[in-house]
Amino acid sequence: AARRAAAAGVVLRTLRADLLVESPAIGSGFDLVINGLFLHHLDPGDVCRVMRTMAGACTREGGGGEVVVSDLRRDRLGLAAAVVASRMLSRSRIVHFDAPASVRGAYTMEELRTLAASAGLAGATVRAVWPRRMLLEWRCGGGATSPGDLNVATSERSAAHG
């Protein structure tokens, strides 16, 4: 991503962080804070903690930062799709177990909205996206982001932490 950004003349600063361990060191000033396929591994208290940290990381003078979360969505069709697709695409018993277990551990769209509000992300939107996922978007401060310089933070949970 850094090479493509440089080729396009965009200054890109990235940070990968385990939000359950490193949250105080993240700081703020990011234009975009992204979290992908992570929240379904967490209990509600940790989800709120992660979202508060993400919101704090996008806070910058003049506003304009954004938090984006993409995760699995818990519903019956998603569970059925996980069972069928995992068996069609893999012979691994681990995948056969993990795919439906991940959907069962996921939140519903309403639960994610409630958790976002509890975490202080007032006005966050949650919408359904393909395939059986949901996308949360929250704008910090209401200002416009500058297309010339982009600071991006992504979150993850390292293998050492589960």
Side-chain angles (χ1 to χ4, degrees):
R3 278 182 280 149
R4 288 192 301 261
V10 174
V11 177
L12 178 67
R13 179 175 66 105
T14 63
L15 170 72
R16 278 176 51 181
D18 182 333
L19 293 179
L20 297 177
V21 175
E22 304 170 25
S23 59
I26 291 174
S28 64
F30 288 93
D31 300 303
L32 185 59
V33 183
I34 303 167
N35 182 308
L37 296 175
F38 174 57
L39 297 185
H40 66 273
H41 295 286
L42 305 177
D43 64 49
D46 282 340
V47 169
C48 286
R49 192 168 103 210
V50 163
M51 286 199 277
R52 276 192 297 273
T53 302
M54 292 175 70
C58 86
T59 304
R60 62 191 189 111
E61 285 188 37
E66 187 167 353
V67 170
V68 177
V69 176
S70 174
D71 213 319
L72 300 174
R73 157 167 63 117
R74 190 180 76 239
D75 64 14
R76 287 186 182 133
L77 186 56
L79 181 58
V83 169
V84 171
S86 66
R87 281 158 178 74
M88 288 177 57
L89 299 173
S90 176
R91 293 182 183 178
S92 168
R93 289 186 308 216
I94 294 169
V95 172
H96 297 170
F97 172 82
D98 187 61
S102 290
V103 174
R104 284 186 195 101
Y107 295 93
T108 65
M109 289 176 41
E110 187 55 39
E111 289 169 339
L112 188 60
R113 279 187 199 98
T114 300
L115 290 168
S118 296
L121 280 71
T125 61
V126 179
R127 60 186 171 94
V129 293
W130 189 88
R132 308 313 301 170
R133 295 195 180 159
M134 58 186 162
L135 189 69
L136 176 143
E137 296 171 291
W138 180 74
R139 198 95 170 120
C140 171
T145 53
S146 165
D149 298 323
L150 190 61
N151 295 311
V152 180
T154 62
S155 62
E156 65 179 21
R157 182 136 196 209
S158 65
H161 295 103

